[in-house]
Amino acid sequence: MLLRTKLFGKTYEFPDIRLLMGKANEEKSGDRLAGVGAETAAERMAARYVLAEVPLWVLHDTPAVPYADDEVTRVIQDGVNQTIYREIKDWSVGQFREWLLADTTDGAMIRRISQGLTAEMIAGVTKLMSNLDLVYAASKIRVTAHCNNTIGMPGTLASRNQPNHPTDSPEGIRAEIYEGLAFGSGDSVIGINPVDDSYASVARLLDMTYDIIQTWQIPTQNCVLAHVTTQMKCLEAGSPVGLIFQSLAGSQRGNESFGISVPLLDEAYALARKHCFTAGPSYMYFETGQGSELSADAHHGWDQLVMEARCYGLAKRYQPFQVNTVVGFIGPEYLYDARQIQRAGLEDHFMGKLTGIPMGCDACYTNHARADQNAIENLAVMLTAAGCNYFMGVPMGDDSMLSYQCTSYHDAPTLRQLFKLRPNPEFEAWMEQLGLMCNGRLTEKAGDPSFFLQRRAA
């Protein structure tokens, strides 16, 4: 089809859908690095004008990697509800955007339509949206899941208790966990990024976190974010695992760079359903981030937004409890500054929810990016307005192991108070029982990790 328009007396023509999609994207340093970004604002707007007229079936029929060559494409395409797809395939991308934003379109209608979408269709409409569009459309969509508690319910905001430690010290991690719990962080998961990925170290951390959960009867789940094969070994050996974690890419080649494949994830999912101590039925935790495919030379010439949308299509196969875009972690080579990080966070959150998965965000930045803590707080506020399921909780917002800046244990309570939100319901009931929360607000006992040491000694 002819992909051409005239803007301010200049003709813009795009040779194929791949480049049209790249040129229509908001400015990203990663797209410039890949050679697919727009050269000027005028070219970007011309690409969006053309993209708005493209029928959805064209994006469906133009996956970033051919069906025969890529297992991620096969997972996404095979998961499409063909009846629903046929209802919408002749809509233009622009019409799809207007439908999503219409007052008459509610979350249930969007959740139904999402079953007929591919990642490329979702990425296409995302490129036409402003930041406010992304917040508003995402706020309509609720995606809930249950592991040992329930995430994503209306009126709630969860927090991952992330007690990372530069030496994996069990004593240091335990102290960080208690501090997070005292602030109401941990209803998403108590999740540790380990320094040591060995079986012995991961099993030790699983035992320690499980002991805390059992001792205090906390309605949550644990996770040690080692490679999935290490977690599988722990499961098979009888370690107490709450959630199975893995980072995902949007192409088979990208996942191979992570040492994973769809058959391996299928095997991990089956093991989790059989051996995780949690009630389920959701047992998987995935993390993603724009730019990972480019860094592995696995983007197949496509822009990073499209490749990120494909991660969510793969994640959906496993009915995850939570998915998290680590939006600023990959660095300024892919998202240069605060503006690009904020845009990507809003895009990722919207695309995940439109795909139909429970979506959170690691609102963060690396120390060599042009961003600061105010920028990350701005993003967290926008994402909370958009209905984000959860954020990270890191002591003082400074991860001592991963060496990046993030949201703190203090931030989730502030956002809950600002937006009149609560923790996950089972977790809130537990906090009220301990006297750490009353009527949705932290009590004077909250925020002091020694609370747990004193109670245990007593």
Side-chain angles (χ1 to χ4, degrees), residues 83-100:
T83 300
I84 296 174
Y85 167 68
R86 285 191 291 270
E87 294 175 13
I88 62 172
K89 68 183 185 70
D90 292 323
W91 292 3
S92 70
V93 180
Q95 287 175 317
F96 185 29
R97 172 187 175 273
E98 293 302 309
W99 181 83
L100 287 167

Side-chain angles (χ1 to χ4, degrees), residues 383-398:
L383 284 168
T384 305
C388 191
N389 278 9
Y390 72 102
F391 296 110
M392 304 298 107
V394 174
M396 299 303 294
D398 185 357

Side-chain angles (χ1 to χ4, degrees), residues 114-136:
S114 71
Q115 300 173 66
L117 302 175
T118 65
E120 287 76 13
M121 296 160 72
I122 290 170
V125 75
T126 302
K127 294 169 187 290
L128 300 186
M129 290 185 153
S130 70
N131 287 3
L132 186 57
D133 291 342
L134 294 170
V135 170
Y136 176 62

Side-chain angles (χ1 to χ4, degrees), residues 145-149 151 160 187-191 206 213 220-226 228 231-232 235 240-246 268 272 276-278 280-286 319-323 390:
H146 188 276
C147 187
N148 244 12
N149 61 15
I151 201 167
R160 170 185 159 187
D187 48 342
S188 155
V189 64
I190 299 174
L206 286 167
I213 290 171
T220 191
Q221 35 282 321
N222 66 346
C223 184
V224 178
L225 284 70
V228 67
Q231 297 168 82
M232 291 165 70
L235 263 183
V241 179
L243 283 174
I244 288 287
F245 164 82
Q246 181 55 47
C276 280
F277 75 83
T278 41
S282 295
Y283 302 99
M284 305 298 284
Y285 172 17
F286 297 117
Q319 298 179 289
F321 178 71
Q322 56 186 40
V323 180
Y390 72 102

Side-chain angles (χ1 to χ4, degrees), residues 214-291:
Q214 291 300 106
T215 298
W216 293 96
Q217 291 295 292
I218 309 170
T220 191
Q221 35 282 321
N222 66 346
C223 184
V224 178
L225 284 70
H227 192 270
V228 67
T229 53
T230 306
Q231 297 168 82
M232 291 165 70
K233 185 176 180 180
C234 290
L235 263 183
E236 292 171 322
S239 293
V241 179
L243 283 174
I244 288 287
F245 164 82
Q246 181 55 47
S247 295
L248 298 181
S251 68
Q252 180 175 332
R253 191 191 303 167
N255 284 319
E256 287 170 352
S257 74
F258 289 152
I260 63 170
S261 64
V262 169
L264 178 63
L265 292 175
D266 288 349
E267 182 183 351
Y269 183 40
L271 277 173
R273 286 183 292 174
K274 184 176 181 180
H275 294 298
C276 280
F277 75 83
T278 41
S282 295
Y283 302 99
M284 305 298 284
Y285 172 17
F286 297 117
E287 287 189 350
T288 68
Q290 289 192 32

Side-chain angles (χ1 to χ4, degrees), residues 312-355:
Y312 306 142
L314 174 58
K316 186 177 181 179
R317 176 182 179 90
Y318 303 102
Q319 298 179 289
F321 178 71
Q322 56 186 40
V323 180
N324 171 45
T325 171
V326 194
V327 67
F329 185 72
I330 199 165
E333 299 86 353
Y334 307 97
L335 298 170
Y336 181 70
D337 56 16
R339 180 175 62 84
Q340 294 186 14
I341 291 170
Q342 289 169 349
R343 172 68 187 190
L346 298 176
E347 290 169 342
D348 294 354
H349 175 253
F350 167 72
M351 292 194 300
K353 292 177 85 172
L354 185 54
T355 302

